[in-house]
Amino acid sequence: MVADNAADSTKENSESMDVLASTRTVVKNALEKLGYPDEVFELMKEPMRMMTVRIPVRMDDGSIKIFTGYRAQHNDSVGPTKGGVRFHPNVTEKEVKALSIWMSLKAGIVDLPYGGGKGGIVCDPREMSFRELEGLSRGYVRAISQIVGPNKDIPAPDVFTNSQIMAWMMDEYSRIDEFNNPGFITGKPIVLGGSHGRESATAKGVTICINEAAKKKGIDVKGARVVVQGFGNAGSFLAKFLYDAGAKIVAISDAYGALSDPDGLDIDYLLDRRDSFGTVTKLFENTISNKQLLELDCDILVPAAVQNQITEENAHNIKASIVVEAANGPTTLEGTRILSERGKLLVPDVLASSGGVTVSYFEWVQNNQGYYWSAEEIDKKLHEIMIKSFNNIYNTAETRRVDMRLAAYMAGVRKMAEAARFRGWV
């Protein structure tokens, strides 16, 4: 068992390293395309700050368990850093570093006054009680309190964290600060200063990108055959949005397998049956694998689960005309190259999933000014920003003759690079 755990750990670290290395590769290429000198890449290839913390939590059985947490602040040349906190057993330092770089890119793509941040705690929240999760959430805030704040670094929800966890974190920070400070964190409940539309913001942004990509390819979303890999927060919301828009959702999946029906699945029925972690396929006997799901005949494929799903091994078998990444890093660099050469329109994660940070920005602005917008106002503002960002990157890809991923990275790094240059850092 020890040997198995060691092998799993080595594999996880290798995968995280691949994500960090591939992210750096595209950042370097983007900066070179834009004509920036090597020292700009040297500044951007690592977070400016990386904090590792140890968090003691008294468990329900009376024992004390020590958890490891991280907070990365990639670059604050534009403004305070911003990014989620994930609770997951496979969190690694390298993964957190890579994700903080992605957050910087997302902020640059949608033109927000932020740099990227990211946090994580190595734990399995599915095996922890409500009280234990509260203790862990508050302990994490105490551990990182000196480097975060509404004008320093603003956390948000991520994998296996939600509005309740954000509420505990905000309350703990307010106790430390001795001041009610809702702008410290986003993704909070509405009654504590949260914003309308925040919970579904990532999926709404992905849906907007799908609609824009479909226009470019001459595909009508109404009646289009869509495959959604992943049925968690992002996957379930976007499946519902597309289903309501008249798309035919021919397959969905979760961690245990996939469901498919060429005539379209009943998404309302599946949403009603799934559990709190997005699991629904265990209730059915006739399932297929995630590998089979990716290669199904469809118009639009949305990887909304985990990293490294479309690779050089299966990219040649992808039948969808449009691939829109709702997950972080679902397509490898080689997979990206193959899809682009085959004429597939790949909308990269740093663009497609930037709806979350955009509405988080709206929440932060509302907290700072003490004036709150309606759901309709939020939706209108999100549409304007996402459509403008999509068209900017699509046009950059066309004029520069590069793929959408490199075009997105070029848009993402430009603002940071210019801010660092004007500050005299490089």
Side-chain angles (χ1 to χ4, degrees):
M1 181 63 73
V2 173
D4 289 345
N5 288 340
D8 290 344
S9 177
T10 301
K11 182 181 178 183
E12 287 158 11
N13 286 329
S14 175
E15 289 174 351
S16 297
M17 187 59 199
D18 288 344
V19 171
L20 182 58
S22 63
T23 300
R24 286 172 173 163
T25 297
V26 187
V27 167
K28 187 174 178 61
N29 290 342
L31 290 167
E32 288 174 350
K33 283 282 186 182
L34 293 169
Y36 286 103
D38 290 343
E39 53 261 34
V40 180
F41 173 68
E42 287 299 314
L43 177 67
M44 293 187 182
K45 73 179 185 180
E46 283 276 334
M48 299 185 77
R49 295 173 204 88
M50 182 75 206
M51 191 175 197
T52 301
V53 296
R54 299 283 279 162
I55 309 158
V57 177
R58 186 172 295 280
M59 308 303 281
D60 289 344
D61 63 4
S63 66
I64 300 292
K65 185 171 182 179
I66 312 299
F67 294 88
T68 299
Y70 304 101
R71 188 69 188 176
Q73 297 173 344
H74 175 241
N75 189 292
D76 57 6
S77 60
V78 173
T81 50
K82 178 90 184 72
V85 181
R86 56 180 51 188
F87 286 9
H88 198 278
N90 295 337
V91 166
T92 66
E93 180 178 337
K94 290 185 177 70
E95 177 192 49
V96 171
K97 284 183 177 182
L99 294 172
S100 73
I101 298 173
W102 284 350
M103 287 305 302
S104 285
L105 295 168
K106 288 182 184 182
I109 286 166
V110 291
D111 197 22
L112 303 181
Y114 291 142
K118 185 62 72 168
I121 301 176
V122 184
C123 68
D124 192 342
R126 295 165 293 188
E127 297 179 356
M128 297 175 68
S129 71
F130 210 58
R131 193 201 64 78
E132 290 170 341
L133 284 172
E134 179 177 357
L136 181 60
S137 302
R138 292 182 181 276
Y140 179 70
V141 171
R142 288 194 298 273
I144 66 169
S145 62
Q146 290 182 320
I147 66 166
V148 295
N151 296 307
K152 292 181 181 179
D153 181 14
I154 306 111
D158 203 278
V159 176
F160 288 159
T161 55
N162 54 27
S163 60
Q164 175 60 76
I165 288 172
M166 298 303 104
W168 287 328
M169 289 186 176
M170 186 206 80
D171 183 67
E172 191 65 26
Y173 186 81
S174 295
R175 292 183 184 186
I176 295 167
D177 203 33
E178 298 182 349
F179 179 79
N180 187 40
N181 208 328
F184 153 68
I185 203 164
T186 59
K188 304 178 295 294
I190 296 290
V191 294
L192 292 179
S195 176
H196 288 290
R198 176 59 187 87
E199 189 178 7
S200 61
T202 299
K204 182 63 69 71
V206 175
T207 305
I208 294 167
C209 285
I210 289 171
N211 287 328
E212 293 304 304
K215 291 176 187 177
K216 301 297 184 186
K217 280 288 191 178
I219 296 173
D220 189 348
V221 170
K222 186 176 183 180
R225 298 163 301 156
V226 182
V227 169
V228 180
Q229 185 197 33
F231 210 54
N233 182 58
S236 61
F237 270 117
L238 71 89
K240 172 63 173 170
F241 290 149
L242 293 169
Y243 180 74
D244 289 346
K248 189 182 293 185
I249 312 300
V250 296
I252 63 97
S253 72
D254 57 31
Y256 299 96
L259 303 173
S260 68
D261 186 338
D263 296 323
L265 298 165
D266 186 339
I267 297 301
D268 287 333
Y269 174 76
L270 295 177
L271 287 172
D272 187 57
R273 301 293 302 278
R274 75 182 189 129
D275 65 22
S276 59
F277 294 104
T279 299
V280 70
T281 62
K282 289 193 292 186
L283 302 175
F284 298 85
E285 291 183 1
N286 297 320
T287 61
I288 61 174
S289 68
N290 267 279
K291 181 180 183 299
Q292 291 172 304
L293 170 132
L294 293 169
E295 299 176 9
L296 288 173
D297 189 15
C298 64
D299 301 304
I300 301 167
L301 170 62
V302 187
V306 294
Q307 299 165 356
N308 300 330
Q309 295 301 293
I310 301 176
T311 67
E312 61 181 328
E313 294 179 1
N314 64 356
H316 288 291
N317 301 325
I318 301 298
K319 298 178 180 64
S321 299
I322 298 169
V323 178
V324 182
E325 298 180 334
N328 288 322
T331 310
T332 64
L333 294 186
E334 189 63 19
T336 298
R337 184 188 64 78
I338 293 168
L339 291 179
S340 297
E341 288 179 353
R342 294 181 62 214
K344 309 296 185 181
L345 178 52
L346 172 64
V347 183
D349 46 10
V350 288
L351 167 60
S353 63
S354 59
V357 69
T358 302
V359 177
S360 274
Y361 166 67
F362 296 160
E363 182 176 334
W364 179 71
V365 169
Q366 292 170 88
N367 293 157
N368 288 343
Q369 65 184 7
Y371 179 78
Y372 292 83
W373 304 326
S374 66
E376 291 74 22
E377 288 176 290
I378 295 290
D379 193 59
K380 180 183 177 183
K381 293 176 190 294
L382 178 62
H383 270 81
E384 289 174 353
I385 288 175
M386 292 300 300
I387 291 171
K388 179 182 177 182
S389 300
F390 179 93
N391 286 320
N392 175 42
I393 290 167
Y394 185 85
N395 292 335
T396 298
E398 291 286 297
T399 56
R400 295 274 193 156
R401 296 185 178 181
V402 298
D403 60 58
M404 285 278 282
R405 188 181 309 285
L406 183 53
Y409 273 55
M410 290 167 67
V413 300
R414 184 183 284 113
K415 188 172 184 177
M416 267 190 301
E418 283 299 287
R421 185 175 67 84
F422 276 112
R423 284 178 178 269
W425 293 357
V426 288

